[in-house]
PDB file of all heavy atoms in Angstrom:
ATOM      1  N   GLY A 466     104.175  31.618  26.331  1.00 86.00           N
ATOM      2  CA  GLY A 466     105.564  32.065  26.425  1.00 86.00           C
ATOM      3  C   GLY A 466     106.088  32.646  25.126  1.00 86.00           C
ATOM      4  O   GLY A 466     107.230  33.118  25.076  1.00 86.00           O
ATOM      5  N   TRP A 467     105.262  32.631  24.059  1.00 90.00           N
ATOM      6  CA  TRP A 467     105.687  33.112  22.749  1.00 90.00           C
ATOM      7  C   TRP A 467     104.648  34.058  22.153  1.00 90.00           C
ATOM      8  O   TRP A 467     103.462  33.940  22.434  1.00 90.00           O
ATOM      9  CB  TRP A 467     105.903  31.944  21.782  1.00 90.00           C
ATOM     10  CG  TRP A 467     106.952  30.982  22.235  1.00 90.00           C
ATOM     11  CD1 TRP A 467     106.775  29.847  22.967  1.00 90.00           C
ATOM     12  CD2 TRP A 467     108.368  31.098  22.004  1.00 90.00           C
ATOM     13  NE1 TRP A 467     107.966  29.230  23.201  1.00 90.00           N
ATOM     14  CE2 TRP A 467     108.980  29.967  22.617  1.00 90.00           C
ATOM     15  CE3 TRP A 467     109.181  32.007  21.327  1.00 90.00           C
ATOM     16  CZ2 TRP A 467     110.344  29.758  22.582  1.00 90.00           C
ATOM     17  CZ3 TRP A 467     110.546  31.796  21.281  1.00 90.00           C
ATOM     18  CH2 TRP A 467     111.125  30.690  21.900  1.00 90.00           C
ATOM     19  N   ILE A 468     105.116  34.991  21.312  1.00 87.00           N
ATOM     20  CA  ILE A 468     104.230  35.947  20.645  1.00 87.00           C
ATOM     21  C   ILE A 468     104.530  35.921  19.148  1.00 87.00           C
ATOM     22  O   ILE A 468     105.677  36.133  18.727  1.00 87.00           O
ATOM     23  CB  ILE A 468     104.425  37.370  21.195  1.00 87.00           C
ATOM     24  CG1 ILE A 468     104.075  37.418  22.691  1.00 87.00           C
ATOM     25  CG2 ILE A 468     103.568  38.371  20.423  1.00 87.00           C
ATOM     26  CD1 ILE A 468     104.351  38.756  23.335  1.00 87.00           C
ATOM     27  N   GLU A 469     103.496  35.674  18.347  1.00 90.00           N
ATOM     28  CA  GLU A 469     103.680  35.636  16.891  1.00 90.00           C
ATOM     29  C   GLU A 469     103.980  37.035  16.365  1.00 90.00           C
ATOM     30  O   GLU A 469     103.359  38.015  16.785  1.00 90.00           O
ATOM     31  CB  GLU A 469     102.417  35.093  16.233  1.00 90.00           C
ATOM     32  CG  GLU A 469     102.494  35.026  14.712  1.00 90.00           C
ATOM     33  CD  GLU A 469     101.191  34.572  14.093  1.00 90.00           C
ATOM     34  OE1 GLU A 469     100.471  33.766  14.728  1.00 90.00           O
ATOM     35  OE2 GLU A 469     100.889  35.030  12.976  1.00 90.00           O
ATOM     36  N   ILE A 470     104.925  37.130  15.430  1.00 91.00           N
ATOM     37  CA  ILE A 470     105.313  38.463  14.963  1.00 91.00           C
ATOM     38  C   ILE A 470     105.375  38.598  13.449  1.00 91.00           C
ATOM     39  O   ILE A 470     105.107  39.662  12.910  1.00 91.00           O
ATOM     40  CB  ILE A 470     106.673  38.876  15.597  1.00 91.00           C
ATOM     41  CG1 ILE A 470     106.960  40.345  15.305  1.00 91.00           C
ATOM     42  CG2 ILE A 470     107.805  37.991  15.117  1.00 91.00           C
ATOM     43  CD1 ILE A 470     108.105  40.903  16.078  1.00 91.00           C
ATOM     44  N   LEU A 471     105.730  37.520  12.719  1.00 93.00           N
ATOM     45  CA  LEU A 471     105.812  37.656  11.261  1.00 93.00           C
ATOM     46  C   LEU A 471     105.774  36.295  10.588  1.00 93.00           C
ATOM     47  O   LEU A 471     105.888  35.258  11.237  1.00 93.00           O
ATOM     48  CB  LEU A 471     107.078  38.418  10.845  1.00 93.00           C
ATOM     49  CG  LEU A 471     108.455  37.864  11.245  1.00 93.00           C
ATOM     50  CD1 LEU A 471     108.952  36.779  10.281  1.00 93.00           C
ATOM     51  CD2 LEU A 471     109.486  38.985  11.287  1.00 93.00           C
ATOM     52  N   GLY A 472     105.607  36.329   9.260  1.00 94.00           N
ATOM     53  CA  GLY A 472     105.625  35.121   8.456  1.00 94.00           C
ATOM     54  C   GLY A 472     106.812  35.136   7.506  1.00 94.00           C
ATOM     55  O   GLY A 472     107.290  36.200   7.099  1.00 94.00           O
ATOM     56  N   ALA A 473     107.298  33.957   7.145  1.00 96.00           N
ATOM     57  CA  ALA A 473     108.482  33.866   6.282  1.00 96.00           C
ATOM     58  C   ALA A 473     108.534  32.503   5.618  1.00 96.00           C
ATOM     59  O   ALA A 473     107.648  31.659   5.812  1.00 96.00           O
ATOM     60  CB  ALA A 473     109.745  34.116   7.109  1.00 96.00           C
ATOM     61  N   GLY A 474     109.581  32.285   4.840  1.00 96.00           N
ATOM     62  CA  GLY A 474     109.778  30.981   4.204  1.00 96.00           C
ATOM     63  C   GLY A 474     110.738  31.071   3.039  1.00 96.00           C
ATOM     64  O   GLY A 474     111.221  32.160   2.680  1.00 96.00           O
ATOM     65  N   MET A 475     111.018  29.948   2.452  1.00 96.00           N
ATOM     66  CA  MET A 475     111.882  29.883   1.274  1.00 96.00           C
ATOM     67  C   MET A 475     111.046  30.162   0.023  1.00 96.00           C
ATOM     68  O   MET A 475     109.930  29.646  -0.111  1.00 96.00           O
ATOM     69  CB  MET A 475     112.541  28.507   1.168  1.00 96.00           C
ATOM     70  CG  MET A 475     113.372  28.122   2.386  1.00 96.00           C
ATOM     71  SD  MET A 475     114.699  29.305   2.746  1.00 96.00           S
ATOM     72  CE  MET A 475     115.769  29.039   1.319  1.00 96.00           C
ATOM     73  N   VAL A 476     111.559  30.980  -0.862  1.00 96.00           N
ATOM     74  CA  VAL A 476     110.798  31.388  -2.051  1.00 96.00           C
ATOM     75  C   VAL A 476     110.404  30.162  -2.865  1.00 96.00           C
ATOM     76  O   VAL A 476     111.234  29.298  -3.169  1.00 96.00           O
ATOM     77  CB  VAL A 476     111.629  32.360  -2.913  1.00 96.00           C
ATOM     78  CG1 VAL A 476     110.833  32.776  -4.158  1.00 96.00           C
ATOM     79  CG2 VAL A 476     112.025  33.587  -2.108  1.00 96.00           C
ATOM     80  N   HIS A 477     109.130  30.110  -3.217  1.00 95.00           N
ATOM     81  CA  HIS A 477     108.610  28.973  -3.980  1.00 95.00           C
ATOM     82  C   HIS A 477     109.296  28.926  -5.354  1.00 95.00           C
ATOM     83  O   HIS A 477     109.451  29.967  -6.014  1.00 95.00           O
ATOM     84  CB  HIS A 477     107.098  29.127  -4.150  1.00 95.00           C
ATOM     85  CG  HIS A 477     106.404  27.874  -4.533  1.00 95.00           C
ATOM     86  ND1 HIS A 477     106.538  27.297  -5.780  1.00 95.00           N
ATOM     87  CD2 HIS A 477     105.555  27.049  -3.834  1.00 95.00           C
ATOM     88  CE1 HIS A 477     105.811  26.203  -5.849  1.00 95.00           C
ATOM     89  NE2 HIS A 477     105.200  26.024  -4.677  1.00 95.00           N
ATOM     90  N   PRO A 478     109.709  27.729  -5.798  1.00 95.00           N
ATOM     91  CA  PRO A 478     110.360  27.617  -7.115  1.00 95.00           C
ATOM     92  C   PRO A 478     109.526  28.209  -8.240  1.00 95.00           C
ATOM     93  O   PRO A 478     110.066  28.772  -9.196  1.00 95.00           O
ATOM     94  CB  PRO A 478     110.543  26.108  -7.285  1.00 95.00           C
ATOM     95  CG  PRO A 478     110.600  25.570  -5.892  1.00 95.00           C
ATOM     96  CD  PRO A 478     109.684  26.438  -5.091  1.00 95.00           C
ATOM     97  N   ARG A 479     108.199  28.102  -8.141  1.00 95.00           N
ATOM     98  CA  ARG A 479     107.319  28.636  -9.181  1.00 95.00           C
ATOM     99  C   ARG A 479     107.446  30.161  -9.269  1.00 95.00           C
ATOM    100  O   ARG A 479     107.428  30.730 -10.358  1.00 95.00           O
ATOM    101  CB  ARG A 479     105.876  28.228  -8.885  1.00 95.00           C
ATOM    102  CG  ARG A 479     104.855  28.748  -9.868  1.00 95.00           C
ATOM    103  CD  ARG A 479     105.101  28.234 -11.262  1.00 95.00           C
ATOM    104  NE  ARG A 479     104.100  28.753 -12.196  1.00 95.00           N
ATOM    105  CZ  ARG A 479     104.338  28.991 -13.465  1.00 95.00           C
ATOM    106  NH1 ARG A 479     105.533  28.765 -13.970  1.00 95.00           N
ATOM    107  NH2 ARG A 479     103.376  29.435 -14.239  1.00 95.00           N
ATOM    108  N   VAL A 480     107.594  30.826  -8.119  1.00 94.00           N
ATOM    109  CA  VAL A 480     107.759  32.285  -8.099  1.00 94.00           C
ATOM    110  C   VAL A 480     109.075  32.676  -8.764  1.00 94.00           C
ATOM    111  O   VAL A 480     109.145  33.638  -9.541  1.00 94.00           O
ATOM    112  CB  VAL A 480     107.706  32.819  -6.650  1.00 94.00           C
ATOM    113  CG1 VAL A 480     108.023  34.314  -6.610  1.00 94.00           C
ATOM    114  CG2 VAL A 480     106.341  32.558  -6.032  1.00 94.00           C
ATOM    115  N   LEU A 481     110.121  31.908  -8.496  1.00 95.00           N
ATOM    116  CA  LEU A 481     111.417  32.170  -9.137  1.00 95.00           C
ATOM    117  C   LEU A 481     111.318  31.988 -10.648  1.00 95.00           C
ATOM    118  O   LEU A 481     111.842  32.798 -11.427  1.00 95.00           O
ATOM    119  CB  LEU A 481     112.485  31.246  -8.554  1.00 95.00           C
ATOM    120  CG  LEU A 481     112.882  31.487  -7.089  1.00 95.00           C
ATOM    121  CD1 LEU A 481     113.837  30.393  -6.619  1.00 95.00           C
ATOM    122  CD2 LEU A 481     113.524  32.858  -6.918  1.00 95.00           C
ATOM    123  N   GLU A 482     110.641  30.939 -11.080  1.00 94.00           N
ATOM    124  CA  GLU A 482     110.495  30.678 -12.511  1.00 94.00           C
ATOM    125  C   GLU A 482     109.754  31.807 -13.207  1.00 94.00           C
ATOM    126  O   GLU A 482     110.164  32.259 -14.292  1.00 94.00           O
ATOM    127  CB  GLU A 482     109.754  29.360 -12.736  1.00 94.00           C
ATOM    128  CG  GLU A 482     110.584  28.120 -12.460  1.00 94.00           C
ATOM    129  CD  GLU A 482     109.798  26.848 -12.725  1.00 94.00           C
ATOM    130  OE1 GLU A 482     108.547  26.926 -12.795  1.00 94.00           O
ATOM    131  OE2 GLU A 482     110.432  25.800 -12.862  1.00 94.00           O
ATOM    132  N   MET A 483     108.652  32.273 -12.609  1.00 93.00           N
ATOM    133  CA  MET A 483     107.872  33.341 -13.240  1.00 93.00           C
ATOM    134  C   MET A 483     108.665  34.636 -13.324  1.00 93.00           C
ATOM    135  O   MET A 483     108.389  35.491 -14.166  1.00 93.00           O
ATOM    136  CB  MET A 483     106.561  33.556 -12.469  1.00 93.00           C
ATOM    137  CG  MET A 483     105.532  32.457 -12.707  1.00 93.00           C
ATOM    138  SD  MET A 483     103.920  32.817 -11.974  1.00 93.00           S
ATOM    139  CE  MET A 483     104.280  32.556 -10.236  1.00 93.00           C
ATOM    140  N   ALA A 484     109.643  34.811 -12.447  1.00 93.00           N
ATOM    141  CA  ALA A 484     110.482  36.011 -12.481  1.00 93.00           C
ATOM    142  C   ALA A 484     111.707  35.821 -13.365  1.00 93.00           C
ATOM    143  O   ALA A 484     112.523  36.736 -13.494  1.00 93.00           O
ATOM    144  CB  ALA A 484     110.918  36.384 -11.066  1.00 93.00           C
ATOM    145  N   GLY A 485     111.859  34.645 -13.961  1.00 92.00           N
ATOM    146  CA  GLY A 485     112.970  34.410 -14.861  1.00 92.00           C
ATOM    147  C   GLY A 485     114.199  33.815 -14.225  1.00 92.00           C
ATOM    148  O   GLY A 485     115.255  33.715 -14.868  1.00 92.00           O
ATOM    149  N   TYR A 486     114.107  33.390 -12.970  1.00 94.00           N
ATOM    150  CA  TYR A 486     115.248  32.779 -12.276  1.00 94.00           C
ATOM    151  C   TYR A 486     115.147  31.256 -12.359  1.00 94.00           C
ATOM    152  O   TYR A 486     114.056  30.692 -12.222  1.00 94.00           O
ATOM    153  CB  TYR A 486     115.285  33.216 -10.808  1.00 94.00           C
ATOM    154  CG  TYR A 486     115.808  34.626 -10.597  1.00 94.00           C
ATOM    155  CD1 TYR A 486     114.971  35.721 -10.768  1.00 94.00           C
ATOM    156  CD2 TYR A 486     117.135  34.853 -10.224  1.00 94.00           C
ATOM    157  CE1 TYR A 486     115.431  37.019 -10.572  1.00 94.00           C
ATOM    158  CE2 TYR A 486     117.600  36.138 -10.026  1.00 94.00           C
ATOM    159  CZ  TYR A 486     116.757  37.227 -10.200  1.00 94.00           C
ATOM    160  OH  TYR A 486     117.233  38.505 -10.016  1.00 94.00           O
ATOM    161  N   ASP A 487     116.263  30.613 -12.555  1.00 94.00           N
ATOM    162  CA  ASP A 487     116.311  29.155 -12.611  1.00 94.00           C
ATOM    163  C   ASP A 487     116.338  28.607 -11.182  1.00 94.00           C
ATOM    164  O   ASP A 487     117.317  28.783 -10.465  1.00 94.00           O
ATOM    165  CB  ASP A 487     117.557  28.695 -13.371  1.00 94.00           C
ATOM    166  CG  ASP A 487     117.583  27.178 -13.575  1.00 94.00           C
ATOM    167  OD1 ASP A 487     116.745  26.474 -12.977  1.00 94.00           O
ATOM    168  OD2 ASP A 487     118.458  26.705 -14.321  1.00 94.00           O
ATOM    169  N   PRO A 488     115.262  27.949 -10.715  1.00 94.00           N
ATOM    170  CA  PRO A 488     115.221  27.443  -9.338  1.00 94.00           C
ATOM    171  C   PRO A 488     116.231  26.339  -9.058  1.00 94.00           C
ATOM    172  O   PRO A 488     116.480  26.011  -7.895  1.00 94.00           O
ATOM    173  CB  PRO A 488     113.779  26.931  -9.189  1.00 94.00           C
ATOM    174  CG  PRO A 488     113.321  26.656 -10.576  1.00 94.00           C
ATOM    175  CD  PRO A 488     114.023  27.638 -11.453  1.00 94.00           C
ATOM    176  N   LYS A 489     116.833  25.787 -10.119  1.00 94.00           N
ATOM    177  CA  LYS A 489     117.878  24.789  -9.901  1.00 94.00           C
ATOM    178  C   LYS A 489     119.220  25.445  -9.588  1.00 94.00           C
ATOM    179  O   LYS A 489     120.132  24.789  -9.085  1.00 94.00           O
ATOM    180  CB  LYS A 489     118.010  23.897 -11.132  1.00 94.00           C
ATOM    181  CG  LYS A 489     116.777  23.052 -11.414  1.00 94.00           C
ATOM    182  CD  LYS A 489     116.968  22.189 -12.648  1.00 94.00           C
ATOM    183  CE  LYS A 489     115.719  21.346 -12.926  1.00 94.00           C
ATOM    184  NZ  LYS A 489     115.889  20.505 -14.149  1.00 94.00           N
ATOM    185  N   VAL A 490     119.314  26.725  -9.920  1.00 94.00           N
ATOM    186  CA  VAL A 490     120.559  27.475  -9.667  1.00 94.00           C
ATOM    187  C   VAL A 490     120.392  28.422  -8.486  1.00 94.00           C
ATOM    188  O   VAL A 490     121.273  28.559  -7.639  1.00 94.00           O
ATOM    189  CB  VAL A 490     120.977  28.276 -10.925  1.00 94.00           C
ATOM    190  CG1 VAL A 490     122.239  29.104 -10.649  1.00 94.00           C
ATOM    191  CG2 VAL A 490     121.179  27.342 -12.101  1.00 94.00           C
ATOM    192  N   TYR A 491     119.228  29.085  -8.450  1.00 95.00           N
ATOM    193  CA  TYR A 491     118.986  30.091  -7.415  1.00 95.00           C
ATOM    194  C   TYR A 491     117.971  29.587  -6.389  1.00 95.00           C
ATOM    195  O   TYR A 491     117.081  28.801  -6.709  1.00 95.00           O
ATOM    196  CB  TYR A 491     118.458  31.392  -8.030  1.00 95.00           C
ATOM    197  CG  TYR A 491     119.501  32.173  -8.795  1.00 95.00           C
ATOM    198  CD1 TYR A 491     119.646  31.994 -10.173  1.00 95.00           C
ATOM    199  CD2 TYR A 491     120.334  33.082  -8.149  1.00 95.00           C
ATOM    200  CE1 TYR A 491     120.596  32.711 -10.883  1.00 95.00           C
ATOM    201  CE2 TYR A 491     121.286  33.805  -8.850  1.00 95.00           C
ATOM    202  CZ  TYR A 491     121.411  33.614 -10.212  1.00 95.00           C
ATOM    203  OH  TYR A 491     122.363  34.317 -10.891  1.00 95.00           O
ATOM    204  N   SER A 492     118.133  30.071  -5.167  1.00 95.00           N
ATOM    205  CA  SER A 492     117.148  29.861  -4.095  1.00 95.00           C
ATOM    206  C   SER A 492     117.055  31.169  -3.323  1.00 95.00           C
ATOM    207  O   SER A 492     117.840  32.094  -3.541  1.00 95.00           O
ATOM    208  CB  SER A 492     117.571  28.705  -3.179  1.00 95.00           C
ATOM    209  OG  SER A 492     118.860  28.977  -2.613  1.00 95.00           O
ATOM    210  N   GLY A 493     116.107  31.223  -2.446  1.00 96.00           N
ATOM    211  CA  GLY A 493     115.967  32.469  -1.694  1.00 96.00           C
ATOM    212  C   GLY A 493     114.976  32.349  -0.567  1.00 96.00           C
ATOM    213  O   GLY A 493     114.275  31.338  -0.437  1.00 96.00           O
ATOM    214  N   PHE A 494     114.942  33.386   0.263  1.00 96.00           N
ATOM    215  CA  PHE A 494     113.941  33.422   1.324  1.00 96.00           C
ATOM    216  C   PHE A 494     113.216  34.760   1.277  1.00 96.00           C
ATOM    217  O   PHE A 494     113.716  35.747   0.723  1.00 96.00           O
ATOM    218  CB  PHE A 494     114.552  33.170   2.703  1.00 96.00           C
ATOM    219  CG  PHE A 494     115.557  34.203   3.172  1.00 96.00           C
ATOM    220  CD1 PHE A 494     115.184  35.485   3.552  1.00 96.00           C
ATOM    221  CD2 PHE A 494     116.905  33.860   3.268  1.00 96.00           C
ATOM    222  CE1 PHE A 494     116.095  36.411   4.006  1.00 96.00           C
ATOM    223  CE2 PHE A 494     117.841  34.783   3.717  1.00 96.00           C
ATOM    224  CZ  PHE A 494     117.441  36.066   4.090  1.00 96.00           C
ATOM    225  N   ALA A 495     112.027  34.771   1.861  1.00 96.00           N
ATOM    226  CA  ALA A 495     111.212  35.988   1.932  1.00 96.00           C
ATOM    227  C   ALA A 495     110.558  36.048   3.306  1.00 96.00           C
ATOM    228  O   ALA A 495     110.353  35.023   3.958  1.00 96.00           O
ATOM    229  CB  ALA A 495     110.151  35.992   0.832  1.00 96.00           C
ATOM    230  N   PHE A 496     110.237  37.250   3.735  1.00 96.00           N
ATOM    231  CA  PHE A 496     109.553  37.429   5.022  1.00 96.00           C
ATOM    232  C   PHE A 496     108.693  38.685   4.930  1.00 96.00           C
ATOM    233  O   PHE A 496     108.916  39.564   4.098  1.00 96.00           O
ATOM    234  CB  PHE A 496     110.565  37.564   6.174  1.00 96.00           C
ATOM    235  CG  PHE A 496     111.576  38.665   5.986  1.00 96.00           C
ATOM    236  CD1 PHE A 496     111.302  39.975   6.357  1.00 96.00           C
ATOM    237  CD2 PHE A 496     112.818  38.381   5.441  1.00 96.00           C
ATOM    238  CE1 PHE A 496     112.234  40.988   6.192  1.00 96.00           C
ATOM    239  CE2 PHE A 496     113.769  39.369   5.251  1.00 96.00           C
ATOM    240  CZ  PHE A 496     113.481  40.678   5.625  1.00 96.00           C
ATOM    241  N   GLY A 497     107.675  38.734   5.761  1.00 95.00           N
ATOM    242  CA  GLY A 497     106.793  39.895   5.801  1.00 95.00           C
ATOM    243  C   GLY A 497     106.378  40.204   7.220  1.00 95.00           C
ATOM    244  O   GLY A 497     106.089  39.308   8.010  1.00 95.00           O
ATOM    245  N   MET A 498     106.381  41.502   7.542  1.00 94.00           N
ATOM    246  CA  MET A 498     106.045  41.925   8.910  1.00 94.00           C
ATOM    247  C   MET A 498     105.207  43.196   8.866  1.00 94.00           C
ATOM    248  O   MET A 498     105.226  43.941   7.878  1.00 94.00           O
ATOM    249  CB  MET A 498     107.324  42.190   9.713  1.00 94.00           C
ATOM    250  CG  MET A 498     108.148  43.354   9.184  1.00 94.00           C
ATOM    251  SD  MET A 498     109.733  43.550  10.025  1.00 94.00           S
ATOM    252  CE  MET A 498     110.640  42.163   9.338  1.00 94.00           C
ATOM    253  N   GLY A 499     104.463  43.434   9.944  1.00 92.00           N
ATOM    254  CA  GLY A 499     103.670  44.646  10.066  1.00 92.00           C
ATOM    255  C   GLY A 499     104.267  45.589  11.099  1.00 92.00           C
ATOM    256  O   GLY A 499     104.321  45.238  12.289  1.00 92.00           O
ATOM    257  N   PRO A 500     104.733  46.771  10.699  1.00 92.00           N
ATOM    258  CA  PRO A 500     105.286  47.730  11.665  1.00 92.00           C
ATOM    259  C   PRO A 500     104.321  48.087  12.790  1.00 92.00           C
ATOM    260  O   PRO A 500     104.740  48.355  13.912  1.00 92.00           O
ATOM    261  CB  PRO A 500     105.606  48.955  10.797  1.00 92.00           C
ATOM    262  CG  PRO A 500     105.913  48.372   9.455  1.00 92.00           C
ATOM    263  CD  PRO A 500     104.949  47.216   9.313  1.00 92.00           C
ATOM    264  N   GLU A 501     103.000  48.067  12.493  1.00 92.00           N
ATOM    265  CA  GLU A 501     102.041  48.357  13.567  1.00 92.00           C
ATOM    266  C   GLU A 501     102.149  47.314  14.679  1.00 92.00           C
ATOM    267  O   GLU A 501     102.161  47.661  15.863  1.00 92.00           O
ATOM    268  CB  GLU A 501     100.608  48.363  13.011  1.00 92.00           C
ATOM    269  CG  GLU A 501     100.264  49.570  12.166  1.00 92.00           C
ATOM    270  CD  GLU A 501     100.533  49.328  10.696  1.00 92.00           C
ATOM    271  OE1 GLU A 501     101.277  48.375  10.365  1.00 92.00           O
ATOM    272  OE2 GLU A 501      99.996  50.085   9.872  1.00 92.00           O
ATOM    273  N   ARG A 502     102.206  46.044  14.291  1.00 90.00           N
ATOM    274  CA  ARG A 502     102.307  44.983  15.307  1.00 90.00           C
ATOM    275  C   ARG A 502     103.617  45.100  16.082  1.00 90.00           C
ATOM    276  O   ARG A 502     103.654  44.900  17.294  1.00 90.00           O
ATOM    277  CB  ARG A 502     102.198  43.611  14.645  1.00 90.00           C
ATOM    278  CG  ARG A 502     102.321  42.455  15.634  1.00 90.00           C
ATOM    279  CD  ARG A 502     101.733  41.182  15.095  1.00 90.00           C
ATOM    280  NE  ARG A 502     101.850  40.065  16.027  1.00 90.00           N
ATOM    281  CZ  ARG A 502     101.078  39.895  17.097  1.00 90.00           C
ATOM    282  NH1 ARG A 502     100.134  40.789  17.367  1.00 90.00           N
ATOM    283  NH2 ARG A 502     101.226  38.859  17.897  1.00 90.00           N
ATOM    284  N   ILE A 503     104.685  45.409  15.387  1.00 91.00           N
ATOM    285  CA  ILE A 503     105.976  45.555  16.056  1.00 91.00           C
ATOM    286  C   ILE A 503     105.930  46.712  17.037  1.00 91.00           C
ATOM    287  O   ILE A 503     106.411  46.614  18.175  1.00 91.00           O
ATOM    288  CB  ILE A 503     107.086  45.760  15.008  1.00 91.00           C
ATOM    289  CG1 ILE A 503     107.249  44.483  14.183  1.00 91.00           C
ATOM    290  CG2 ILE A 503     108.403  46.142  15.677  1.00 91.00           C
ATOM    291  CD1 ILE A 503     108.166  44.636  13.000  1.00 91.00           C
ATOM    292  N   ALA A 504     105.326  47.827  16.620  1.00 89.00           N
ATOM    293  CA  ALA A 504     105.212  48.982  17.514  1.00 89.00           C
ATOM    294  C   ALA A 504     104.328  48.663  18.717  1.00 89.00           C
ATOM    295  O   ALA A 504     104.623  49.078  19.846  1.00 89.00           O
ATOM    296  CB  ALA A 504     104.647  50.179  16.750  1.00 89.00           C
ATOM    297  N   MET A 505     103.242  47.912  18.483  1.00 86.00           N
ATOM    298  CA  MET A 505     102.344  47.553  19.578  1.00 86.00           C
ATOM    299  C   MET A 505     103.063  46.683  20.606  1.00 86.00           C
ATOM    300  O   MET A 505     102.902  46.872  21.820  1.00 86.00           O
ATOM    301  CB  MET A 505     101.113  46.834  19.028  1.00 86.00           C
ATOM    302  CG  MET A 505     100.204  47.731  18.193  1.00 86.00           C
ATOM    303  SD  MET A 505      98.853  46.858  17.363  1.00 86.00           S
ATOM    304  CE  MET A 505      97.762  46.563  18.756  1.00 86.00           C
ATOM    305  N   LEU A 506     103.870  45.741  20.142  1.00 86.00           N
ATOM    306  CA  LEU A 506     104.610  44.870  21.058  1.00 86.00           C
ATOM    307  C   LEU A 506     105.741  45.617  21.757  1.00 86.00           C
ATOM    308  O   LEU A 506     105.998  45.422  22.944  1.00 86.00           O
ATOM    309  CB  LEU A 506     105.172  43.672  20.292  1.00 86.00           C
ATOM    310  CG  LEU A 506     104.147  42.671  19.747  1.00 86.00           C
ATOM    311  CD1 LEU A 506     104.838  41.630  18.894  1.00 86.00           C
ATOM    312  CD2 LEU A 506     103.401  42.004  20.900  1.00 86.00           C
ATOM    313  N   LYS A 507     106.405  46.488  21.007  1.00 86.00           N
ATOM    314  CA  LYS A 507     107.573  47.169  21.556  1.00 86.00           C
ATOM    315  C   LYS A 507     107.202  48.242  22.567  1.00 86.00           C
ATOM    316  O   LYS A 507     107.898  48.443  23.566  1.00 86.00           O
ATOM    317  CB  LYS A 507     108.385  47.792  20.421  1.00 86.00           C
ATOM    318  CG  LYS A 507     109.744  48.336  20.846  1.00 86.00           C
ATOM    319  CD  LYS A 507     110.584  48.716  19.644  1.00 86.00           C
ATOM    320  CE  LYS A 507     111.976  49.184  20.088  1.00 86.00           C
ATOM    321  NZ  LYS A 507     112.841  49.512  18.930  1.00 86.00           N
ATOM    322  N   PHE A 508     106.061  48.921  22.349  1.00 85.00           N
ATOM    323  CA  PHE A 508     105.694  50.042  23.208  1.00 85.00           C
ATOM    324  C   PHE A 508     104.414  49.808  23.999  1.00 85.00           C
ATOM    325  O   PHE A 508     103.932  50.711  24.675  1.00 85.00           O
ATOM    326  CB  PHE A 508     105.548  51.316  22.372  1.00 85.00           C
ATOM    327  CG  PHE A 508     106.822  51.743  21.708  1.00 85.00           C
ATOM    328  CD1 PHE A 508     107.012  51.540  20.356  1.00 85.00           C
ATOM    329  CD2 PHE A 508     107.841  52.338  22.435  1.00 85.00           C
ATOM    330  CE1 PHE A 508     108.180  51.927  19.734  1.00 85.00           C
ATOM    331  CE2 PHE A 508     109.019  52.727  21.833  1.00 85.00           C
ATOM    332  CZ  PHE A 508     109.198  52.516  20.480  1.00 85.00           C
ATOM    333  N   GLY A 509     103.855  48.626  23.910  1.00 82.00           N
ATOM    334  CA  GLY A 509     102.681  48.321  24.713  1.00 82.00           C
ATOM    335  C   GLY A 509     101.415  49.013  24.256  1.00 82.00           C
ATOM    336  O   GLY A 509     100.536  49.304  25.070  1.00 82.00           O
ATOM    337  N   VAL A 510     101.282  49.297  22.954  1.00 85.00           N
ATOM    338  CA  VAL A 510     100.065  49.917  22.415  1.00 85.00           C
ATOM    339  C   VAL A 510      98.990  48.840  22.296  1.00 85.00           C
ATOM    340  O   VAL A 510      99.235  47.769  21.736  1.00 85.00           O
ATOM    341  CB  VAL A 510     100.341  50.554  21.038  1.00 85.00           C
ATOM    342  CG1 VAL A 510      99.082  51.183  20.465  1.00 85.00           C
ATOM    343  CG2 VAL A 510     101.454  51.595  21.161  1.00 85.00           C
TER     344      VAL A 510
END
């Protein structure tokens, strides 16, 4: 009844630290998707 489409999650504190952001102050989320998969699901390719 379900179809997998993308991956996501809350940004790892270590990634924030390496970019210069304080993980105690900042948080965030990230996601990644493939347009090919979306097109295949949307148009039946």
Side-chain angles (χ1 to χ4, degrees):
W467 300 93
I468 298 175
E469 179 184 328
I470 190 169
L471 59 83
M475 302 302 292
V476 180
H477 197 290
R479 179 62 180 149
V480 174
L481 292 174
E482 286 181 343
M483 286 187 286
Y486 283 82
D487 186 350
K489 295 180 180 179
V490 178
Y491 288 93
S492 58
F494 63 71
F496 56 85
M498 65 186 74
E501 287 92 343
R502 179 159 180 77
I503 293 172
M505 292 173 75
L506 292 174
K507 189 170 183 178
F508 297 104
V510 179

